[in-house]
Amino acid sequence: DTGVSQDPRHKITKRGQNVTFRCDPISEHNRLYWYRQTLGQGPEFLTYFQNEAQLEKSRLLSDRFSAERPKGSFSTLEIQRTEQGDSAMYLCASSLGTSKKETQYFGPGTRLLVL
Amino acid sequence: QKEVEQDPGPLSVPEGAIVSLNCTYSNSAFQYFMWYRQYSRKGPELLMYTYSSGNKEDGRFTAQVDKSSKYISLFIRDSQPSDSATYLCAMRTGRRALTFGSGTRLQVQP
């Protein structure tokens, strides 16, 4: 068990460009979450998947953001037409949702800087 | 007003001190309460998970939940320089999404 992994760890892009991040959850975890964290703040929920189904999306997830988990394993988060306000750490977490007391395990994050 | 309030610190203590970290919340529907530790430029790491009001102890860490006051605490005994990090409280209702506090930065001086 190598934990949740994210790629890339850092991304610098110019405003208007599209970026895509990947998250590989802990194997056999059926739930996968995306959060965004800005400097000095706690993570904010964006969306979550149970297997391949996207079950909840935050109002923070504008129409420029899209997330997929096509085979119920890894997930991608794409941001189209990036804006400077998108600069943040994007965190992925996974959990095994078999009980009420499920624990979300976080990856190291992808730090995005939009110039 | 944020649903979860947490003093951002920084909190500076000498090695060996007892540290008290706190969060207050406004949503009475929160049922599950967690404390995460986050080192600089790393992802959050779960420290404690509590469901009901009361205390839970794990090694040097004790988590307290007081649902009647909407107040949760984390105590760290015999603090070490390696405990220097940002501590995030998190909570959720029956839904899956976690709501985090803004984090308290702790510095333990050797």
mmCIF file of all heavy atoms in Angstrom, chain A residues 5 9 11 15 24-25 30 35 37 41 46 48 50 52 62 66 71 75 78 85 87 93-94 105 115:
data_model
loop_
_atom_site.group_PDB
_atom_site.id
_atom_site.type_symbol
_atom_site.label_atom_id
_atom_site.label_comp_id
_atom_site.label_asym_id
_atom_site.label_seq_id
_atom_site.Cartn_x
_atom_site.Cartn_y
_atom_site.Cartn_z
ATOM 1 N N SER A 5 -1.449 8.787 -4.458
ATOM 2 C CA SER A 5 -0.419 9.505 -5.211
ATOM 3 C C SER A 5 -1.070 10.488 -6.174
ATOM 4 O O SER A 5 -2.190 10.258 -6.658
ATOM 5 C CB SER A 5 0.499 8.540 -5.959
ATOM 6 O OG SER A 5 -0.237 7.776 -6.889
ATOM 7 N N ARG A 9 3.302 16.981 -9.164
ATOM 8 C CA ARG A 9 3.338 17.599 -7.844
ATOM 9 C C ARG A 9 3.273 19.113 -7.958
ATOM 10 O O ARG A 9 2.732 19.772 -7.056
ATOM 11 C CB ARG A 9 4.604 17.188 -7.093
ATOM 12 C CG ARG A 9 4.674 15.701 -6.756
ATOM 13 C CD ARG A 9 3.615 15.303 -5.714
ATOM 14 N NE ARG A 9 3.672 16.154 -4.550
ATOM 15 C CZ ARG A 9 4.525 15.983 -3.547
ATOM 16 N NH1 ARG A 9 5.386 14.978 -3.574
ATOM 17 N NH2 ARG A 9 4.526 16.814 -2.520
ATOM 18 N N LYS A 11 2.715 22.437 -10.929
ATOM 19 C CA LYS A 11 2.374 22.826 -12.304
ATOM 20 C C LYS A 11 2.327 24.337 -12.375
ATOM 21 O O LYS A 11 1.633 24.981 -11.585
ATOM 22 C CB LYS A 11 1.018 22.233 -12.693
ATOM 23 C CG LYS A 11 0.553 22.589 -14.092
ATOM 24 C CD LYS A 11 1.368 21.890 -15.147
ATOM 25 C CE LYS A 11 0.854 22.193 -16.534
ATOM 26 N NZ LYS A 11 1.670 21.521 -17.597
ATOM 27 N N ARG A 15 -2.220 31.895 -17.790
ATOM 28 C CA ARG A 15 -3.667 32.128 -17.790
ATOM 29 C C ARG A 15 -4.258 31.773 -19.144
ATOM 30 O O ARG A 15 -3.710 32.126 -20.189
ATOM 31 C CB ARG A 15 -3.926 33.597 -17.455
ATOM 32 C CG ARG A 15 -5.377 33.947 -17.201
ATOM 33 C CD ARG A 15 -5.502 35.407 -16.835
ATOM 34 N NE ARG A 15 -4.869 36.264 -17.843
ATOM 35 C CZ ARG A 15 -4.781 37.577 -17.760
ATOM 36 N NH1 ARG A 15 -5.241 38.196 -16.695
ATOM 37 N NH2 ARG A 15 -4.216 38.271 -18.702
ATOM 38 N N ASP A 24 -4.143 8.811 -8.103
ATOM 39 C CA ASP A 24 -4.264 7.361 -7.945
ATOM 40 C C ASP A 24 -4.572 7.062 -6.485
ATOM 41 O O ASP A 24 -3.732 7.318 -5.608
ATOM 42 C CB ASP A 24 -2.983 6.661 -8.378
ATOM 43 C CG ASP A 24 -2.816 6.654 -9.878
ATOM 44 O OD1 ASP A 24 -3.338 5.718 -10.510
ATOM 45 O OD2 ASP A 24 -2.205 7.600 -10.422
ATOM 46 N N PRO A 25 -5.759 6.548 -6.190
ATOM 47 C CA PRO A 25 -6.141 6.311 -4.795
ATOM 48 C C PRO A 25 -5.463 5.063 -4.240
ATOM 49 O O PRO A 25 -4.794 4.326 -4.969
ATOM 50 C CB PRO A 25 -7.648 6.100 -4.893
ATOM 51 C CG PRO A 25 -7.833 5.474 -6.247
ATOM 52 C CD PRO A 25 -6.798 6.107 -7.135
ATOM 53 N N ASN A 30 -13.037 2.663 -2.684
ATOM 54 C CA ASN A 30 -14.081 2.909 -3.668
ATOM 55 C C ASN A 30 -14.481 4.376 -3.763
ATOM 56 O O ASN A 30 -15.130 4.778 -4.718
ATOM 57 C CB ASN A 30 -15.312 2.043 -3.355
ATOM 58 C CG ASN A 30 -15.901 2.338 -1.978
ATOM 59 O OD1 ASN A 30 -15.221 2.842 -1.091
ATOM 60 N ND2 ASN A 30 -17.165 2.019 -1.810
ATOM 61 N N TYR A 35 -10.229 18.087 -3.308
ATOM 62 C CA TYR A 35 -10.331 19.295 -2.499
ATOM 63 C C TYR A 35 -9.370 20.330 -3.058
ATOM 64 O O TYR A 35 -8.389 20.003 -3.722
ATOM 65 C CB TYR A 35 -9.939 19.020 -1.036
ATOM 66 C CG TYR A 35 -10.894 18.162 -0.251
ATOM 67 C CD1 TYR A 35 -10.865 16.776 -0.356
ATOM 68 C CD2 TYR A 35 -11.819 18.738 0.621
ATOM 69 C CE1 TYR A 35 -11.735 15.979 0.375
ATOM 70 C CE2 TYR A 35 -12.694 17.953 1.364
ATOM 71 C CZ TYR A 35 -12.644 16.575 1.238
ATOM 72 O OH TYR A 35 -13.509 15.798 1.970
ATOM 73 N N GLN A 37 -7.043 23.735 -1.734
ATOM 74 C CA GLN A 37 -6.555 24.447 -0.552
ATOM 75 C C GLN A 37 -5.739 25.657 -0.983
ATOM 76 O O GLN A 37 -4.757 25.526 -1.708
ATOM 77 C CB GLN A 37 -5.699 23.525 0.318
ATOM 78 C CG GLN A 37 -5.258 24.149 1.634
ATOM 79 C CD GLN A 37 -4.475 23.190 2.505
ATOM 80 O OE1 GLN A 37 -3.877 22.234 2.025
ATOM 81 N NE2 GLN A 37 -4.482 23.424 3.825
ATOM 82 N N GLN A 41 -5.537 28.586 4.381
ATOM 83 C CA GLN A 41 -6.900 28.074 4.540
ATOM 84 C C GLN A 41 -6.902 26.557 4.618
ATOM 85 O O GLN A 41 -5.949 25.895 4.198
ATOM 86 C CB GLN A 41 -7.775 28.516 3.369
ATOM 87 C CG GLN A 41 -7.896 30.018 3.225
ATOM 88 C CD GLN A 41 -8.521 30.669 4.430
ATOM 89 O OE1 GLN A 41 -9.517 30.190 4.971
ATOM 90 N NE2 GLN A 41 -7.930 31.772 4.884
ATOM 91 N N LEU A 46 -14.432 19.818 -3.359
ATOM 92 C CA LEU A 46 -14.834 20.101 -4.733
ATOM 93 C C LEU A 46 -15.834 19.067 -5.245
ATOM 94 O O LEU A 46 -16.906 19.417 -5.742
ATOM 95 C CB LEU A 46 -13.611 20.112 -5.657
ATOM 96 C CG LEU A 46 -12.605 21.243 -5.443
ATOM 97 C CD1 LEU A 46 -11.420 21.079 -6.395
ATOM 98 C CD2 LEU A 46 -13.254 22.605 -5.641
ATOM 99 N N TYR A 48 -16.790 14.391 -5.279
ATOM 100 C CA TYR A 48 -16.382 13.050 -4.907
ATOM 101 C C TYR A 48 -17.044 11.992 -5.775
ATOM 102 O O TYR A 48 -18.123 12.204 -6.341
ATOM 103 C CB TYR A 48 -16.572 12.795 -3.412
ATOM 104 C CG TYR A 48 -17.789 11.995 -2.985
ATOM 105 C CD1 TYR A 48 -17.724 10.609 -2.881
ATOM 106 C CD2 TYR A 48 -18.964 12.638 -2.639
ATOM 107 C CE1 TYR A 48 -18.822 9.880 -2.457
ATOM 108 C CE2 TYR A 48 -20.056 11.919 -2.210
ATOM 109 C CZ TYR A 48 -19.995 10.543 -2.115
ATOM 110 O OH TYR A 48 -21.082 9.821 -1.690
ATOM 111 N N GLN A 50 -17.974 7.745 -6.067
ATOM 112 C CA GLN A 50 -18.073 6.400 -5.521
ATOM 113 C C GLN A 50 -17.971 5.463 -6.710
ATOM 114 O O GLN A 50 -18.838 5.480 -7.592
ATOM 115 C CB GLN A 50 -19.378 6.179 -4.780
ATOM 116 C CG GLN A 50 -19.489 4.770 -4.208
ATOM 117 C CD GLN A 50 -20.491 4.667 -3.090
ATOM 118 O OE1 GLN A 50 -20.459 5.453 -2.132
ATOM 119 N NE2 GLN A 50 -21.401 3.709 -3.197
ATOM 120 N N GLU A 52 -17.124 4.714 -10.186
ATOM 121 C CA GLU A 52 -16.980 5.632 -11.318
ATOM 122 C C GLU A 52 -18.031 6.729 -11.330
ATOM 123 O O GLU A 52 -17.984 7.635 -12.161
ATOM 124 C CB GLU A 52 -17.020 4.854 -12.636
ATOM 125 C CG GLU A 52 -18.338 4.164 -12.939
ATOM 126 C CD GLU A 52 -18.441 2.795 -12.296
ATOM 127 O OE1 GLU A 52 -17.574 2.454 -11.465
ATOM 128 O OE2 GLU A 52 -19.401 2.072 -12.612
ATOM 129 N N SER A 62 -16.741 25.209 -10.782
ATOM 130 C CA SER A 62 -17.378 25.932 -11.878
ATOM 131 C C SER A 62 -17.379 25.071 -13.139
ATOM 132 O O SER A 62 -16.774 23.994 -13.176
ATOM 133 C CB SER A 62 -16.626 27.238 -12.138
ATOM 134 O OG SER A 62 -15.421 26.976 -12.832
ATOM 135 N N SER A 66 -13.707 19.961 -14.612
ATOM 136 C CA SER A 66 -14.360 18.680 -14.851
ATOM 137 C C SER A 66 -13.502 17.572 -14.260
ATOM 138 O O SER A 66 -12.275 17.607 -14.344
ATOM 139 C CB SER A 66 -14.609 18.440 -16.333
ATOM 140 O OG SER A 66 -13.382 18.374 -17.024
ATOM 141 N N LYS A 71 -12.849 4.296 -14.752
ATOM 142 C CA LYS A 71 -12.920 2.865 -14.457
ATOM 143 C C LYS A 71 -12.982 2.607 -12.957
ATOM 144 O O LYS A 71 -12.732 1.491 -12.491
ATOM 145 C CB LYS A 71 -11.719 2.132 -15.049
ATOM 146 C CG LYS A 71 -11.684 2.194 -16.568
ATOM 147 C CD LYS A 71 -10.531 1.397 -17.134
ATOM 148 C CE LYS A 71 -10.520 1.466 -18.655
ATOM 149 N NZ LYS A 71 -9.380 0.710 -19.235
ATOM 150 N N SER A 75 -8.347 8.980 -11.015
ATOM 151 C CA SER A 75 -9.235 10.077 -11.390
ATOM 152 C C SER A 75 -8.401 11.200 -11.999
ATOM 153 O O SER A 75 -7.205 11.350 -11.700
ATOM 154 C CB SER A 75 -9.969 10.598 -10.157
ATOM 155 O OG SER A 75 -10.752 11.754 -10.462
ATOM 156 N N GLU A 78 -9.597 18.253 -14.557
ATOM 157 C CA GLU A 78 -9.168 19.184 -15.601
ATOM 158 C C GLU A 78 -9.717 20.565 -15.305
ATOM 159 O O GLU A 78 -10.885 20.716 -14.921
ATOM 160 C CB GLU A 78 -9.640 18.723 -16.986
ATOM 161 C CG GLU A 78 -9.187 19.660 -18.095
ATOM 162 C CD GLU A 78 -9.719 19.267 -19.475
ATOM 163 O OE1 GLU A 78 -10.683 18.479 -19.546
ATOM 164 O OE2 GLU A 78 -9.166 19.769 -20.475
ATOM 165 N N GLY A 85 -6.970 33.067 -10.158
ATOM 166 C CA GLY A 85 -7.654 32.630 -8.946
ATOM 167 C C GLY A 85 -7.700 31.120 -8.771
ATOM 168 O O GLY A 85 -8.078 30.630 -7.700
ATOM 169 N N SER A 87 -5.033 29.360 -8.804
ATOM 170 C CA SER A 87 -3.773 28.994 -8.139
ATOM 171 C C SER A 87 -4.074 28.494 -6.736
ATOM 172 O O SER A 87 -4.688 29.192 -5.922
ATOM 173 C CB SER A 87 -2.839 30.216 -8.060
ATOM 174 O OG SER A 87 -2.458 30.624 -9.344
ATOM 175 N N ALA A 93 -8.138 12.688 -2.098
ATOM 176 C CA ALA A 93 -8.237 11.786 -0.955
ATOM 177 C C ALA A 93 -9.041 10.563 -1.381
ATOM 178 O O ALA A 93 -9.845 10.631 -2.315
ATOM 179 C CB ALA A 93 -8.902 12.471 0.229
ATOM 180 N N SER A 94 -8.815 9.450 -0.698
ATOM 181 C CA SER A 94 -9.628 8.266 -0.974
ATOM 182 C C SER A 94 -10.038 7.611 0.330
ATOM 183 O O SER A 94 -9.436 7.854 1.391
ATOM 184 C CB SER A 94 -8.870 7.275 -1.872
ATOM 185 O OG SER A 94 -7.794 6.661 -1.189
ATOM 186 N N TYR A 105 -8.025 9.467 3.341
ATOM 187 C CA TYR A 105 -6.564 9.552 3.312
ATOM 188 C C TYR A 105 -6.166 10.456 2.156
ATOM 189 O O TYR A 105 -6.590 10.235 1.018
ATOM 190 C CB TYR A 105 -5.948 8.163 3.136
ATOM 191 C CG TYR A 105 -6.236 7.235 4.282
ATOM 192 C CD1 TYR A 105 -7.363 6.423 4.278
ATOM 193 C CD2 TYR A 105 -5.389 7.173 5.380
ATOM 194 C CE1 TYR A 105 -7.646 5.577 5.336
ATOM 195 C CE2 TYR A 105 -5.653 6.324 6.442
ATOM 196 C CZ TYR A 105 -6.786 5.530 6.414
ATOM 197 O OH TYR A 105 -7.061 4.693 7.469
ATOM 198 N N LEU A 115 0.037 31.956 -14.001
ATOM 199 C CA LEU A 115 0.685 33.265 -14.180
ATOM 200 C C LEU A 115 -0.145 34.184 -15.062
ATOM 201 O O LEU A 115 -0.944 33.701 -15.888
ATOM 202 C CB LEU A 115 2.068 33.065 -14.795
ATOM 203 C CG LEU A 115 3.030 32.186 -13.969
ATOM 204 C CD1 LEU A 115 4.326 32.004 -14.732
ATOM 205 C CD2 LEU A 115 3.284 32.816 -12.616
#
